Amino acid sequence: MSDHAITAIGFDADDTLWQNEHFYRLTEQRFTALLEAHGEEEVISSRLLAAETRNLALYGFGIKGFTLSMIETAIEITEGRVDAAVISEILAAGRELLTHPVETLPHARDAIERLSGSYRIILITKGDLFDQERKLAQSGLGDLFDAVEIVSDKTVDTYRRVFARHADGPERALMVGNSLKSDIAPAISAGGWGVYVPHPLTWSFEHVEPPTEDPRFRQIADLGELPDLVRSLD
């Protein structure tokens, strides 16, 4: 066991290391345009979010569930009269999401490289297994991680299990991510540190109030600030 107070650093993937929500937003705009004859953009988007939220327990997080929720919403909004050509367009949009190029965010590689060797570096991401594996491979960051965990959801138990399996437990671990709900709050509740890196686009489902009063919460502007922050905590 290391003398460091922090021995492991977990990184979220989507919108922390690479762009993700940007492509979902573009697809949603394409979807609402397909149904513009049946309602206002805001109304269609609201109905889509409701479908996504109630379907999470069935489909989980990821593009496939998003695509099925778009189809369900189209059927509901058109009262079952949606044209087959529209369904085909929705399916095509989902397939394009599954093949979009990976755009790593500024400082991602440099931050990981500067911390690697001194800490266990763990990728903890949720979503579709094939899609997350594809993005990790295309990002060029895969070789920098000591462990990779692709999980169905991120809960307090998830962080306890992952940091116990790959490190010295959550009490000596730090989680970095753009989602307060998935990356920060449960990691802190598990006993670890949470470093929030805001992204200009974050799915509304992931919004909760930041735990600013918790002594293990930190916020940084971008990943370029992470190495110095980690060393100051350690």
Side-chain angles (χ1 to χ4, degrees), residues 36-109:
E36 61 182 357
H38 300 277
E40 297 293 328
E41 180 179 351
E42 294 79 7
V43 174
I44 297 171
S45 290
S46 177
R47 296 283 292 275
L48 174 59
L49 176 60
E52 289 180 88
T53 302
R54 67 174 176 264
N55 286 334
L56 282 175
L58 295 173
Y59 306 143
F61 295 89
I63 292 169
K64 294 173 185 176
F66 178 61
T67 303
L68 288 170
S69 293
M70 285 194 291
I71 293 172
E72 182 177 317
T73 303
I75 292 171
E76 289 178 350
I77 286 178
T78 63
E79 298 180 342
R81 297 190 296 271
V82 60
D83 194 277
V86 172
I87 300 296
S88 180
E89 281 288 320
I90 293 171
L91 290 170
R95 285 193 296 271
E96 288 180 23
L97 264 180
L98 287 165
T99 59
H100 69 72
V102 176
E103 299 177 10
T104 55
L105 289 165
H107 312 293
R109 171 174 285 277

Side-chain angles (χ1 to χ4, degrees), residues 100-169:
H100 69 72
V102 176
E103 299 177 10
T104 55
L105 289 165
H107 312 293
R109 171 174 285 277
D110 179 65
I112 297 172
E113 288 179 338
R114 288 173 61 189
L115 294 164
S116 181
S118 299
Y119 306 91
R120 294 276 296 172
I121 306 298
I122 307 167
L123 184 72
I124 308 173
T125 182
K126 67 183 179 184
D128 181 80
L129 176 64
F130 289 164
D131 186 44
Q132 296 294 359
E133 288 180 335
R134 173 189 70 85
K135 287 188 283 192
L136 178 59
Q138 291 185 10
S139 73
L141 302 176
D143 292 341
L144 300 178
F145 294 100
D146 297 301
V148 174
E149 290 274 354
I150 300 173
V151 298
S152 59
D153 200 0
K154 292 177 177 177
T155 65
V156 173
D157 287 341
T158 301
Y159 290 111
R160 286 175 177 158
R161 172 176 53 81
V162 170
F163 287 127
R165 176 184 298 170
H166 299 293
D168 300 324

